[in-house]
Amino acid sequence: MLSRDKFFIGGRWVAPSGSGSIDVHNAGTGEVMGRVPAGGAKDVAAAVAAARGAFTAWSQTEPAKRAELLEKISAGLKARSDELAKLIAQEVGMPLKMAGRIQAGLPIANFANYAKLLREFSFEQKVGNSLVVRDPVGVVGAITPWNYPLHQITLKVAPALAAGCTVVLKPSEVAPFNAFVLAEVIEAAGLPAGVFNLVTGLGTAAGEALVAHPDVDMISFTGSTRAGKRISELAAQSVKRVALELGGKSASVILDDADLAAAVKGTVNGCYLNSGQTCTALTRMLVSEAQYPEAARLAAEAAKGFTVGDPLAETTRLGPLTSQAQLERVRGYIKKGQQEGAELLAGGAESPEGVPAGGYYVRPTVFGKVKNSMSIAQEEIFGPVLSIIPYKDEEDAIRIANDSPYGLAGAVWSKDEARAQRVARRIRAGQVDVNGGAFNMNAPFGGFKQSGHGREAGVFGLEEFLEYKSLQLKG
Ligand code: NAD
């Protein structure tokens, strides 16, 4: 058992104020892999007081000093990357090799990248007779989800620390162990006491206490649109700055001149990454009516290539979902898709064969002839379920892509690069991949519409944690 029984507050490991705990399940087996304390308002208040106490001194450190510490954190995570990959493969269910590359790899790269960006960043600028300086926002409350747990934490903690903010982190209760490893790494790196604090607990208890706390200047949240709405309401009471990275229902628009095989393959991979538990998952595949039959055949064939199994096994391409709640939710949507009249081309709601008992496994599923008004096309399923939607012409494809309450991501495929870019510009989403363009850790990441507001990653993510201040100078 991996149980933890203390919070990291004010540079020390501190016993919780209460005795409640939360079970953490191994996604591959369903077994309890450990427990973490269920913090409440008292624990959060102690962490906020520590962060507030550390703020003035930390905000005045030289950027070069902060950059040095961020590099140490990156190195500390690197030294523990195998442990982190295995931990997250078990907490979340992502196949181990991929978890090593993405779940452990991205945080290492992002801490190092923020050290580099910080060394290059200019904290002041002359505008007429004003000197415009960038001040850290203050005490940041970071609330994060379970799907890319350490990556989502890093996209908040690294730029917040770089900016000169102090942080209270409330990680997901579903996959919290990786956050304890980060806290240990931060402790070993020698950050001043109180600059980074960790409290675990439920969203409705520790999470809401953090959002409501008057001494917290900003909440940076990644998670569901449902929780994002509640957080906005609560934060409004103290006029806090709020950054929201929420859900998505992203469209992959395959134009009629695209390399169909490559586009379908890219879309299916983009949909099934992390068993579909990716906020930018390409869950709606839009194809022309003429190409629909071939696209449907290719997608069903691609889905069958995703071997479902134990995340620690070499042969696994699709790990389990993360939790029992996720399993029920995704199976529910698969049944709903069938009831709504979509055509099941691959997968289905039954358990896959040959998988370890007790784990949260689901079949890679493809629905054809989906109408964009169906709930499987409108709602975020957060599982390996692809909906193929036929369109009439380019204008119709753009209309369908934008007919969503979400606007997080998208993709466009065409042999004509100029055409692909033209269509990509018309998609109302924060990030659109053109012909499978590679992930860029320095590009801004975030949503339009109900996918949230604010941007993470690169210099855009650093600016989230800064205020403008102008000094009107005489001469
Ligand atoms: P969730 O909203 O249930 O929980 C996210 C975090 O918020 C957890 O730490 C939880 O404890 C906390 N929380 C929940 N209710 C809260 C409340 N009322 N007050 C304060 N905190 C609260 O989401 P989840 O199930 O962990 O994650 C899945 C969701 O996250 C999906 O909708 C996914 O699209 C989204 N997501 C978005 C991005 C992005 O960058 N846009 C990235 C990853 C995940």
Side-chain angles (χ1 to χ4, degrees):
M1 288 279 261
L2 278 168
S3 295
R4 300 279 190 160
D5 59 2
K6 292 199 171 62
F7 299 132
F8 187 64
I9 297 177
R12 294 184 308 118
W13 290 93
V14 179
S17 63
S19 57
S21 67
I22 300 168
D23 286 349
V24 180
H25 294 263
N26 178 324
T29 64
E31 286 159 6
V32 175
M33 61 187 276
R35 293 190 177 86
V36 296
K42 264 194 181 168
D43 306 295
V44 166
V48 172
R52 176 56 61 198
F55 175 67
T56 304
W58 179 249
S59 66
Q60 289 170 14
T61 48
E62 284 299 318
K65 175 68 192 164
R66 299 203 293 275
E68 203 181 288
L69 289 167
L70 292 176
E71 267 159 4
K72 272 195 179 171
I73 298 171
S74 173
L77 290 174
K78 193 168 184 188
R80 296 180 71 173
S81 63
D82 288 348
E83 175 192 351
L84 278 167
K86 191 162 176 210
L87 195 55
I88 302 176
Q90 291 173 308
E91 288 180 306
V92 176
M94 181 184 267
L96 181 61
K97 219 188 256 169
M98 205 182 269
R101 219 176 55 237
I102 299 176
Q103 303 273 16
L106 282 178
I108 296 166
N110 269 307
F111 268 103
N113 193 41
Y114 273 109
K116 177 174 168 284
L117 289 173
L118 185 52
R119 290 204 163 94
E120 295 161 358
F121 190 75
S122 171
F123 281 83
E124 44 188 72
Q125 181 191 349
K126 265 312 273 304
V127 179
N129 70 317
S130 300
L131 183 64
V132 178
V133 298
R134 310 300 309 270
D135 269 10
V137 168
V139 174
V140 171
I143 302 181
T144 53
W146 45 260
N147 56 338
Y148 292 85
L150 193 56
H151 175 57
Q152 305 300 342
I153 289 171
T154 299
L155 284 183
K156 302 182 185 315
V157 174
L161 296 179
C165 294
T166 55
V167 177
V168 176
L169 169 65
K170 204 302 283 171
S172 167
E173 61 276 27
V174 178
F177 288 120
N178 56 86
F180 285 86
V181 174
L182 174 66
E184 286 171 354
V185 165
I186 286 179
E187 183 184 21
L191 256 74
V195 168
F196 170 84
N197 306 275
L198 168 69
V199 175
T200 49
L202 296 176
T204 46
E208 294 204 2
L210 187 58
V211 178
H213 200 293
D215 254 355
V216 173
D217 298 291
M218 172 176 174
I219 291 290
S220 178
F221 172 74
T222 300
S224 62
T225 296
R226 174 195 53 77
K229 288 179 183 169
R230 171 77 181 138
I231 285 169
S232 298
E233 281 170 12
L234 279 177
Q237 302 308 313
S238 49
V239 199
K240 279 186 180 58
R241 184 191 283 207
V242 178
L244 300 175
E245 300 286 345
L246 309 176
K249 191 74 199 176
S250 301
S252 175
V253 179
I254 304 181
L255 294 170
D256 54 9
D257 63 347
D259 173 344
L260 191 62
V264 170
K265 188 169 168 226
T267 305
V268 173
N269 288 343
C271 180
Y272 289 171
L273 179 66
N274 202 22
S275 298
Q277 303 171 124
T278 302
C279 48
T280 53
L282 299 171
T283 49
R284 293 184 295 148
M285 185 166 99
L286 276 47
V287 293
S288 69
E289 284 173 352
Q291 284 184 317
Y292 172 80
E294 180 60 0
R297 189 190 67 74
L298 287 167
E301 195 180 284
K304 285 171 193 147
F306 277 76
T307 313
V308 187
D310 179 353
L312 301 184
E314 276 278 326
T315 48
T316 298
R317 271 192 82 195
L318 195 84
L321 296 169
T322 301
S323 64
Q324 180 66 31
Q326 272 291 102
L327 183 62
E328 285 164 20
R329 173 193 167 103
V330 173
R331 284 200 176 141
Y333 271 112
I334 297 174
K335 288 181 191 150
K336 210 166 185 179
Q338 289 177 286
Q339 285 157 9
E340 284 181 324
E343 193 178 319
L344 187 66
L345 300 173
E350 313 78 39
S351 259
E353 283 135 29
V355 292
Y360 312 121
Y361 299 91
V362 74
R363 289 171 188 256
T365 296
V366 179
F367 278 113
K369 298 200 174 140
V370 176
K371 293 198 177 72
N372 201 51
S373 55
M374 291 178 182
S375 38
I376 54 167
Q378 285 293 313
E379 295 169 24
E380 186 178 48
I381 299 175
F382 233 47
V385 182
L386 178 70
S387 292
I388 311 181
I389 307 173
Y391 66 79
K392 289 189 193 335
D393 53 24
E394 186 179 301
E395 216 36 56
D396 193 36
I398 295 168
R399 182 191 61 76
I400 296 170
N402 287 331
D403 178 16
S404 166
Y406 295 109
L408 189 58
V412 180
W413 308 81
S414 167
K415 282 202 177 118
D416 177 348
E417 172 76 18
R419 183 183 179 204
Q421 282 193 31
R422 181 161 44 80
V423 172
R425 282 173 192 271
R426 291 189 56 199
I427 293 182
R428 302 272 303 155
Q431 185 190 342
V432 185
D433 298 346
V434 177
N435 286 321
F439 172 74
N440 176 0
M441 72 190 293
N442 279 306
F445 183 88
F448 285 31
K449 301 192 266 182
Q450 290 195 28
S451 292
H453 46 72
R455 291 294 179 269
E456 292 193 321
V459 76
F460 310 91
L462 175 61
E463 290 182 349
E464 283 284 316
F465 296 100
L466 294 169
E467 293 278 16
Y468 283 107
K469 179 165 72 189
S470 15
L471 307 178
Q472 265 63 256
L473 308 179
K474 194 126 190 250

